[in-house]
């Protein structure tokens, strides 16, 4: 019984929690842009990619300087602030050069979506040109917090539980960032102004909120979210420009499922997508093996959907939500 | 078409002739053929976006379905695989269709009653178990049949040209289903939904090996035009080539490409004429009215949702035809080659740059952007090579820059899109 729970925790719950944390951070980035600037930002995946690239170069630079006082944590954590700063600069420049014109011309949202596709292509091309298409690993430090062998020895169970340090980093950094974000939105003056602006632009403008300030702070938040989620995802898995482009889809799914424009929805959507992706494609045979008497255990893998369709799961949820409840689980802004 | 529009087309022609002279005619002809297919794709998107204002970013999925049509129609059947599990797979799919239909029935019939949701779940679980019971062993059996060479069911061994309309029909049928689900969402939700659905379609083609061989690809698909080797061996061709004074091997390859080109031009001309007539008909005017103001059109008694579905299906059928043509031209079906950047977003750039709402513009965008997509790489390489000449040939910066030139095309395409949107939002040839 306990063994079954450990297997489940090891292969489903912990990976889904860390993956879900990253999806939630990504979805928050998308949802903030949607709430404040009112378009679906197709460039977010590649923004994360460029941010991660900056973090990787910083990590290499720090490593070459021999800075490793945060061992056993990976050096990349030190690089995140630099990457975040770089990304803030990048996004503000892009906003000034590209998006501002359409905002002032009061272009329809769909034009902004097409514009963001252009930005996506440029960022994607840049990350391919600068760091190349290959996989980059930049993890250093201790791999495991709890390794399977140690856990078995300690608990005397048949199944081991392994917790990777990167998984914990992902969860902890996501929770910290989310807590800060909600503090910012609920308690600070700028955060309140931002929510007011998202809620009703004209009313906000009438009460003297400066739109440029709102937009700037929105991009700053998005840049920090992109830098943290991108870097931590790269630490946990691997960095590759194309993978980050593909991340756009589950991120969108999470944001839409939760309700575009709703931060709470984005977080829940992220975890929902992660748990269903991993849960539906996991082979439950080993869990069943611990729960059922041996003669009852079926021959098959007890896998609902083959892992090939991991991506398809999130899209199916996305389509189902769009059909049944187009505003998402938490009423976001639709139509 | 105004005088300036003609200049654009002449410019395109000159660019291609330039490639023929400076690179080779073989390269130029290959480029023309793919540019023609791109023009057809962008005509399809022009129907959806230019006429109807539908934001479809799922083009890739329909193109891939067109490619599947070529496999299903023209590949030779694998008898052994059919015996091993063909009928079982088909019956499993039949069960799946019944289950979906049945669950809709259960849902409609019993939802008001007490156990509506429970009975639906029970029904679906039973259907799923039955489906997997039929499907899994059959797929294993099929994929075990000579896996290195076949391992799939094969097709019907019919003439490959038949696959072009079939590809259109297949894509249209898929669009019909998808449209019922996705249309009616606001534009950016529609974009996300279609992007997702296209990914799912391609994932299916990539992993259902019994149908498409998956990542093992289907190669050696039949052709509608003669093979180079046959041409080289026929006497009349050798005489003809020597009269023209061209090397036999090159002549044969050029001839094959010219044959393809003629076929592609015929299809393009056909679709273009139909589009042009549709655009200038009452139907076309109605579509543009709906695009410009849905509410007003709906007040005037137009069934907006139905028209949107119609235009979504028509445009997707064009994508399917183009997809089938592309697979025929390649002679192989490679599911993993379908990537949204190349098959969806590039087509969007073509339509936006060319001029959405104008068929001439769409064709121009298709030709021009395809030329740039292919030529940005060599041009970028030459530029970097020239600029870094002073550096040592093995200097790391120079090597890195030369390696990175291949990816310059994404940056350039994004830049084109942004520049056109900013300074000429109506495109090179605006809507009349």
């Amino acid at each position: 019984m306990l063994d079954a729970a450990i297997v489940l925790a090891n292969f489903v719950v912990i990976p889904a929690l860390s993956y879900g944390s990253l999806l939630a951070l990504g979805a928050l980035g998308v949802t903030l842009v949607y709430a404040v600037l009112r378009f679906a930002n197709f460039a977010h995946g590649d923004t994360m990619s460029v941010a991660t690239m900056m973090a990787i170069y910083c990590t290499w630079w720090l490593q070459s300087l021999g800075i490793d006082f945060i061992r056993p944590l990976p050096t990349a954590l030190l690089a995140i602030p630099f990457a975040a700063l770089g990304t803030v600069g990048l996004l503000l420049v892009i906003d000034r050069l590209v998006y501002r014109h359409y905002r002032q011309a009061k272009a329809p949202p769909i034009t902004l979506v097409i514009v963001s596709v252009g930005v996506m292509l440029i960022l994607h091309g840049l990350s391919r040109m600068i760091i190349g298409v290959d996989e980059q690993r930049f993890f250093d430090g201790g791999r495991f917090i709890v390794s399977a062998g140690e856990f078995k020895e300690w608990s005397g169970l048949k199944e081991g539980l392994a917790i990777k340090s990167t998984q914990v980093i992902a969860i902890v950094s996501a929770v910290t960032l989310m807590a800060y974000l909600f503090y910012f939105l609920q308690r600070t003056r700028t955060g309140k102004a931002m929510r007011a602006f998202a809620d009703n632009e004209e009313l906000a403008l009438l009460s003297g909120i400066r739109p440029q300030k709102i937009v700037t702070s929105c991009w700053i938040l998005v840049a920090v979210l992109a830098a943290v989620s991108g870097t931590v995802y790269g630490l946990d898995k691997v960095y590759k420009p194309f993978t980050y482009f593909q991340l756009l889809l589950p991120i969108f799914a999470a944001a839409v499922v939760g309700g575009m424009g709703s931060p709470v929805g984005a977080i829940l959507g992220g975890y929902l997508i992660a748990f269903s992706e991993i849960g539906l494609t996991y082979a439950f045979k080993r869990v069943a093996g611990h729960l059922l008497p041996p003669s009852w255990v079926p021959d098959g893998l007890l896998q609902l959907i083959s892992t090939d369709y991991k991506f398809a799961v999130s899209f199916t949820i996305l389509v189902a939500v769009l059909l049944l409840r187009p505003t998402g689980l938490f009423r976001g802004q639709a139509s | 078409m105004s005088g300036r529009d003609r200049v654009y087309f002449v410019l395109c022609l000159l660019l291609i002739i330039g490639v023929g002279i400076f690179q080779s005619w073989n390269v130029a002809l290959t480029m023309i053929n793919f540019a023609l297919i791109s023009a057809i794709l962008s005509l399809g998107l022009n129907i959806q976006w230019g006429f109807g204002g539908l934001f479809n970013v799922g083009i890739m999925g329909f193109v891939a379905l067109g490619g599947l049509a070529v496999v299903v129609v023209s590949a030779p059947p694998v008898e052994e695989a059919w015996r091993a599990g063909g009928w079982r797979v088909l019956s499993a799919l039949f069960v799946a269709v019944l289950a979906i239909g049945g669950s809709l029935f259960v849902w409609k019939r019993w939802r008001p009653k007490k156990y509506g949701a429970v009975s639906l779940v029970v029904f679906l679980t039973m259907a799923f178990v039955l489906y997997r019971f039929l499907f899994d062993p059959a797929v294993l059996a099929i994929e075990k049949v000579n896996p290195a060479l076949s391992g799939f069911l094969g097709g019907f061994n019919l003439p490959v040209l038949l696959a072009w309309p079939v590809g259109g029909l297949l894509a249209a049928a898929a669009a019909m289903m998808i449209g019922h689900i996705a249309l009616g969402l606001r534009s950016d939700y529609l974009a996300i939904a279609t992007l997702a659905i296209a990914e799912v379609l391609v994932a299916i083609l990539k992993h259902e090996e019994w149908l498409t061989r998956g990542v093992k690809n289907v190669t050696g698909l039949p052709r509608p035009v003669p093979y180079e080797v046959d041409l080289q061996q026929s006497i009349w061709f050798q005489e003809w080539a020597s009269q023209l004074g061209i090397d036999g091997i090159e002549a044969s390859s050029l001839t094959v490409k010219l044959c393809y080109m003629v076929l592609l031009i015929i299809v393009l001309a056909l679709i273009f004429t139909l589009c042009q007539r549709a655009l200038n008909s009452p139907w076309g005017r109605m579509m543009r009215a709906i695009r410009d103001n849905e509410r007003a059109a709906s007040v005037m008694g137009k069934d907006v949702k139905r028209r949107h579905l119609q235009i979504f299906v028509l445009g997707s059928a064009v994508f399917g035809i183009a997809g089938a043509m592309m697979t025929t031209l390649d002679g192989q079906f490679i599911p993993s080659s379908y990537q949204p950047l190349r098959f969806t977003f590039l087509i969007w750039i073509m339509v936006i740059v060319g001029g959405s709402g104008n068929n001439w513009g769409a064709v121009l965008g298709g030709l021009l952007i395809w030329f740039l997509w292919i030529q940005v790489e060599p041009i970028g390489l030459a530029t970097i090579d020239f600029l870094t000449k002073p550096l040592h040939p093995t200097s790391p910066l120079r090597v890195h820059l030369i390696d990175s030139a291949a990816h310059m095309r994404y940056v350039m395409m994004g830049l084109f899109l942004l520049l056109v949107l900013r300074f000429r939002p109506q495109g090179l040839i605006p809507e009349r």
Side-chain angles (χ1 to χ4, degrees):
Chain A
M1 195 67 192
L2 215 53
D3 279 320
I6 295 296
V7 174
L8 211 59
N10 197 8
F11 292 104
V12 178
V13 179
I14 295 175
L17 268 181
S18 68
Y19 180 48
S21 306
L22 297 168
L23 283 189
L25 288 186
L28 275 174
V30 167
T31 230
L32 276 179
V33 172
Y34 193 84
V36 174
L37 300 153
R38 299 191 162 73
F39 68 95
N41 184 10
F42 273 65
H44 193 74
D46 288 298
T47 308
M48 279 166 64
S49 166
V50 173
T52 314
M53 188 173 75
M54 293 184 197
I56 291 176
Y57 279 117
C58 274
T59 311
W60 286 343
W61 175 64
L62 290 171
Q63 280 169 347
S64 70
L65 291 181
I67 295 174
D68 60 350
F69 62 86
I70 61 163
R71 280 299 137 83
L73 293 172
T75 320
L77 288 185
L78 284 179
I80 289 181
F82 295 101
L85 267 181
T87 316
V88 168
L90 178 77
L91 288 186
L92 289 180
V93 168
I94 291 177
D95 183 68
R96 174 69 191 77
L97 290 180
V98 183
Y99 293 122
R100 200 176 77 161
H101 168 78
Y102 299 96
R103 208 162 46 239
Q104 287 172 347
K106 296 231 173 298
I110 204 67
T111 312
L112 279 162
V113 173
I114 302 177
V115 169
S116 79
V117 168
V119 174
M120 172 189 90
L121 284 166
I122 293 182
L123 293 181
H124 188 73
L126 279 180
S127 50
R128 276 173 176 237
M129 278 173 76
I130 296 174
I131 202 162
V133 287
D134 302 325
E135 294 186 349
Q136 308 285 346
R137 290 175 196 281
F138 54 105
F139 178 83
D140 50 9
R143 190 86 235 182
F144 289 102
I145 288 183
V146 179
S147 79
E150 283 168 18
F151 182 82
K152 275 190 213 170
E153 229 170 81
W154 173 78
S155 64
L157 291 173
K158 270 179 283 175
E159 295 288 348
L161 178 71
I163 303 179
K164 283 199 277 181
S165 53
T166 50
Q167 291 173 327
V168 177
I169 291 172
I171 297 168
V172 169
S173 58
V175 171
T176 321
L177 207 55
M178 286 174 205
Y180 173 72
L181 188 73
F182 280 100
Y183 167 77
F184 175 80
L185 288 177
Q186 301 292 336
R187 291 276 180 270
T188 63
R189 210 177 154 73
T190 322
K192 284 180 188 166
M194 197 185 261
R195 280 192 301 141
F197 187 83
D199 199 41
N200 188 334
E201 188 176 343
E202 275 156 29
L203 214 56
L205 292 181
L206 278 177
S207 43
I209 290 171
R210 275 189 302 154
Q212 194 53 48
K213 193 179 165 198
I214 300 295
V215 170
T216 308
S217 41
C218 173
W219 283 122
I220 292 174
L221 284 179
V222 170
V224 174
L225 286 168
V228 174
S229 56
T231 312
V232 176
Y233 184 85
L235 279 176
D236 193 23
K237 303 270 163 53
V238 70
Y239 172 78
K240 195 178 165 192
F242 191 68
T243 321
Y244 278 63
F245 166 72
Q246 282 189 319
L247 265 184
L248 182 67
L249 292 155
I251 285 177
F252 266 146
V256 171
V257 167
M260 275 283 217
S262 148
V264 183
I267 293 170
L268 284 182
Y271 287 110
L272 183 74
I273 295 285
F275 270 93
S276 33
E277 255 188 35
I278 295 180
L280 288 177
T281 54
Y282 177 66
F284 282 96
K285 182 167 182 165
R286 251 168 91 181
V287 178
H290 288 297
L291 288 180
L292 303 172
S295 56
W296 285 22
V297 176
D299 295 331
L301 287 170
L302 286 184
Q303 184 182 22
L304 284 172
I305 305 167
S306 92
T307 29
D308 302 334
Y309 290 114
K310 214 171 178 174
F311 266 108
V313 172
S314 50
F315 304 149
T316 317
I317 298 174
L318 171 75
V319 171
V321 167
L322 283 177
L323 260 180
L324 300 173
R325 201 182 162 93
T327 48
L329 298 177
F330 286 77
R331 298 237 168 260
Q333 309 165 340
S335 70
Chain B
M1 209 165 46
S2 74
R4 193 167 68 182
D5 303 346
R6 285 201 190 88
V7 172
Y8 287 133
F9 279 99
V10 170
L11 190 75
C12 265
L13 197 67
L14 287 179
L15 284 175
I16 287 167
I17 292 175
V19 172
I21 293 170
F22 291 111
Q23 290 174 315
S24 82
W25 287 104
N26 237 324
V27 175
L29 279 179
T30 312
M31 204 163 78
I32 293 178
N33 285 343
F34 278 97
L36 288 170
I37 293 181
S38 303
I40 296 175
L41 280 170
S42 79
L43 272 179
L45 183 61
N46 192 38
I47 297 179
Q48 292 185 336
W49 170 246
F51 297 10
L54 289 181
F55 198 87
N56 175 11
V57 270
I59 302 170
M60 172 183 76
F62 300 108
V63 174
L65 278 180
L68 173 68
V70 178
V71 174
V72 172
V73 168
S74 70
V78 184
E79 303 284 352
E80 207 183 326
W82 274 100
R83 276 197 300 278
W87 298 110
R88 197 163 172 165
V89 161
L90 288 189
S91 56
L93 293 182
F94 186 64
V95 166
V97 171
L98 274 189
I100 292 168
S103 59
L104 287 177
F105 177 76
V106 169
W107 188 238
K108 268 193 191 133
R109 181 89 187 266
W110 281 328
R111 186 159 62 157
K113 297 210 177 132
K114 218 171 168 182
Y115 300 111
V118 180
S119 50
L120 183 68
V121 169
V122 170
F123 177 78
L124 274 179
T125 315
M126 275 161 40
F128 187 70
V129 170
L130 179 63
Y131 166 74
R132 288 290 293 262
F133 166 75
L134 285 170
F135 190 70
D136 290 4
V139 166
L140 278 181
I142 292 173
E143 285 168 8
K144 219 181 270 171
V145 176
N146 198 359
L149 289 174
S150 64
F152 76 132
L153 283 177
F156 291 100
N157 212 5
L158 294 168
V160 68
L161 281 184
L162 192 68
W164 297 6
V166 170
L169 286 177
L170 199 62
M176 187 79 103
M177 284 190 280
I178 294 167
H180 269 298
I181 299 174
L183 295 175
L185 297 168
R186 56 169 281 181
S187 49
D188 33 9
Y189 276 42
L190 178 67
I192 297 172
T194 45
L195 190 68
I197 291 169
E199 264 329 302
V200 174
L201 280 176
V202 171
I204 293 174
L205 295 184
K206 223 184 271 181
H207 299 302
E208 295 303 315
E209 290 191 6
W210 60 273
L211 183 65
T212 64
R213 296 197 78 213
V215 287
K216 290 187 282 183
N217 308 335
V218 181
T219 51
L221 288 166
R223 282 171 154 194
V225 298
Y227 282 88
E228 283 90 345
V229 186
D230 297 340
L231 280 180
Q232 284 157 25
Q233 282 164 356
S234 56
I235 311 234
W236 64 267
F237 186 80
Q238 286 167 357
E239 282 172 0
W240 184 64
S242 62
Q243 264 174 10
L244 286 172
I246 323 174
D247 172 47
I249 292 170
E250 201 193 334
S252 68
S253 141
L254 286 177
T255 314
V256 168
K257 282 180 180 130
L258 279 172
C259 290
Y260 271 123
M261 194 172 90
V262 171
L263 280 174
L264 295 175
I265 287 179
I266 292 172
V267 177
L268 176 64
L270 201 70
I271 293 177
F272 181 82
T273 320
L274 289 174
C275 282
Q276 204 60 341
R277 296 200 60 157
L279 186 65
N280 295 322
S281 67
W283 181 85
R285 286 193 292 277
M286 173 183 69
M287 280 309 181
R288 279 182 285 172
I290 292 178
R291 178 197 66 191
D292 291 338
N293 193 335
E294 276 183 29
R295 215 170 277 178
S298 155
V299 170
M300 301 304 286
K302 307 297 176 202
D303 188 347
V304 172
K305 190 150 188 216
R306 213 184 139 82
R307 294 299 140 201
H308 273 168
L309 185 63
Q310 194 179 29
I311 217 158
F312 189 68
V313 169
L314 282 175
S316 304
V318 175
F319 299 147
I321 296 171
M325 291 162 74
M326 201 177 301
T327 304
T328 313
L329 196 58
D330 283 340
Q332 51 189 352
F333 180 65
I334 308 172
S336 51
S337 70
Y338 291 102
Q339 311 223 321
L341 288 173
R342 155 83 180 80
F343 285 96
T344 298
F345 295 113
L346 190 65
I347 314 300
W348 267 95
I349 298 173
M350 289 170 183
V351 171
I352 304 255
V353 169
S356 49
N358 189 318
N359 291 321
W360 288 108
V363 172
L364 174 73
L367 300 177
L368 192 65
I369 293 295
W370 184 260
F371 174 84
L372 293 171
W373 176 253
I374 295 298
Q375 292 296 329
V376 156
E377 194 179 325
I379 294 172
L381 199 61
T383 319
I384 287 177
D385 189 47
F386 178 75
L387 288 179
T388 57
K389 266 275 148 60
L391 293 171
H392 193 263
T394 56
S395 110
L397 183 66
R398 183 179 149 90
V399 172
H400 183 88
L401 281 175
I402 284 180
D403 282 344
S404 70
H407 307 296
M408 216 178 204
R409 43 162 70 154
Y410 297 104
V411 181
M412 295 312 284
M413 289 299 140
L415 222 50
F416 282 132
L417 181 63
L418 289 183
L419 289 175
V420 167
L421 273 174
R422 178 70 172 266
F423 298 107
R424 205 176 159 81
Q426 70 276 45
L428 290 178
I429 306 183
E431 187 179 355
R432 276 184 298 120

